[in-house]
Amino acid sequence: MQLATSIPAMQRLAKKWRRAGVRIALVPTMGFLHAGHLSLVQAARKRVGAAGQVVLSIYVNPTQFGPHEDFSRYPRDLQRDLQLCRVAGVDLVFAPGDAEMYPGKSAGDYSTFVIEENISQGMEGAARPTHFRGVTTVVAKLFNLVRPDVAVFGQKDFQQAAVLQRMTRDLNFPVQFVIAPTLREADGLAMSSRNKYLNPEQRAQAVILYHALQAVRAAVKKPVVAARLKADLKQFFTAAPLARLDYVEFFDPATLAPVKQVRRGTHMALAVFFGNTRLIDNVRL
Ligand code: PAF
């Protein structure tokens, strides 16, 4: 397995592979890898085969964190990540630094961003106003640097995947966009690097996100008014005193537009705080 920590090194390899007709798959991550990320690596390998190159990027992207969010304390452990990547069969880890990814930023003159203006507005976009601008910008940069044929993202960040898929289409990136299923812990909690922040009591209660999704899934055998479900869910969350519901939304998975009537096929997403830790999850009902 190779490691590229500079942009010129990454660009040289991408150029060499493309010249040789080698297919490239990219798995963008912010590191502190878990089994969910490794399942994205398997999905990437499946798309490019043994002769292809699977690139996993590790970059804690500052522009997608708000000023009071967890950028500085986001968990980082490159040596552990490299070991996991070796075992998972990654060909190249690309781990660039801030000075190269955002040239001019320390001098205050980095000024180019990629903005999706429609489906990034609600839910995560409403709760974290500059978040998707950072995500689309860094992923567009990674696409430019790695030049992948395939890129793999996780369904756990459903809105992120939808926004990035729209960006890929709108900006004509020649990238096959793959969304891989969410991996869950034994009790149903979606795997996330941020689960590490939870203390044992919070971790025990965090499974309420999954229980909420399952409870609504069971309730929508016939159409139900969204406002009614939202009110019931607020009540449901009082069972976990360490949890604070940030939002719950019901929407059309194709347009991300909120719906008034929830039925089978409607998508549900929610965000919940445990102390300062914010977890998200979603399901197609
Ligand atoms: O999902 C993530 O880990 C990040 O948002 C991504 C896509 C790697 C961009 O920084």
Side-chain angles (χ1 to χ4, degrees):
M1 188 184 79
Q2 301 188 75
L3 169 66
T5 55
S6 80
I7 284 180
M10 180 68 248
Q11 285 171 320
R12 268 196 303 274
L13 282 167
K15 202 166 166 186
K16 184 177 103 183
W17 292 334
R18 291 196 79 80
R19 278 211 184 119
V22 173
R23 278 172 61 74
I24 306 170
L26 171 66
V27 180
T29 82
M30 296 204 300
F32 210 74
L33 304 176
H34 50 68
H37 294 113
L38 304 180
S39 75
L40 306 185
V41 170
Q42 303 317 320
R45 174 63 67 200
K46 218 167 105 189
R47 298 312 192 289
V48 294
Q53 291 285 333
V54 173
V55 177
L56 182 138
S57 62
I58 297 179
Y59 181 60
V60 184
N61 172 36
T63 62
Q64 68 187 76
F65 290 80
H68 306 295
E69 293 182 355
D70 54 342
F71 173 67
S72 54
R73 67 182 186 114
Y74 195 85
R76 292 160 171 90
D77 190 341
L78 183 62
Q79 291 315 315
R80 174 181 168 278
D81 287 348
L82 291 176
Q83 184 51 26
L84 288 170
C85 286
R86 255 179 230 116
V87 174
V90 169
D91 295 303
L92 171 78
V93 171
F94 175 43
D98 286 339
E100 276 192 304
M101 283 302 271
Y102 291 102
K105 193 160 184 273
S106 56
D109 70 353
Y110 181 91
S111 54
T112 306
F113 293 90
V114 175
I115 301 173
E116 192 288 326
E117 296 190 331
N118 183 356
I119 58 175
S120 60
Q121 299 303 298
M123 297 186 285
E124 289 302 289
R128 306 177 67 192
T130 55
H131 173 64
F132 284 124
R133 180 184 81 149
V135 172
T136 42
T137 299
V138 80
V139 172
K141 282 168 164 287
L142 290 169
F143 282 3
N144 279 334
L145 297 169
V146 179
R147 312 278 308 281
D149 299 285
V150 179
V152 186
F153 296 87
Q155 164 120 36
K156 194 203 54 117
D157 298 290
F158 184 87
Q159 187 181 13
Q160 166 174 281
V163 168
L164 290 171
Q165 192 165 27
R166 178 69 63 91
M167 176 196 81
T168 303
R169 185 201 72 178
D170 289 356
L171 298 186
N172 308 100
F173 282 111
V175 176
Q176 182 193 345
F177 201 93
V178 177
I179 304 177
T182 303
L183 242 67
R184 296 184 178 279
E185 303 289 353
D187 64 355
L189 178 67
M191 288 187 186
S192 164
S193 306
R194 288 190 167 101
N195 292 350
K196 178 188 155 51
Y197 296 145
L198 302 170
N199 66 33
E201 294 74 30
Q202 291 169 330
R203 171 62 188 86
Q205 290 193 13
V207 70
I208 194 167
L209 275 88
Y210 180 65
H211 290 167
L213 296 172
Q214 295 306 311
V216 175
R217 209 176 204 178
V220 297
K221 296 217 162 66
K222 51 184 189 331
V224 187
V225 175
R228 163 87 196 279
L229 280 174
K230 286 184 184 178
D232 289 351
L233 281 163
K234 273 192 193 140
Q235 185 60 34
F236 187 79
F237 272 85
T238 59
L242 302 180
R244 181 167 60 79
L245 182 62
D246 188 16
Y247 70 79
V248 54
E249 195 54 271
F250 298 98
F251 56 95
D252 177 333
T255 62
L256 273 64
V259 297
K260 290 207 166 78
Q261 286 282 329
V262 180
R263 52 188 88 236
R264 280 168 180 247
T266 299
H267 216 95
M268 168 177 172
L270 76 174
V272 180
F273 277 103
F274 293 86
N276 293 326
T277 304
R278 187 170 173 281
L279 302 182
I280 58 174
D281 205 345
N282 70 89
V283 75
R284 188 171 183 135
L285 297 169

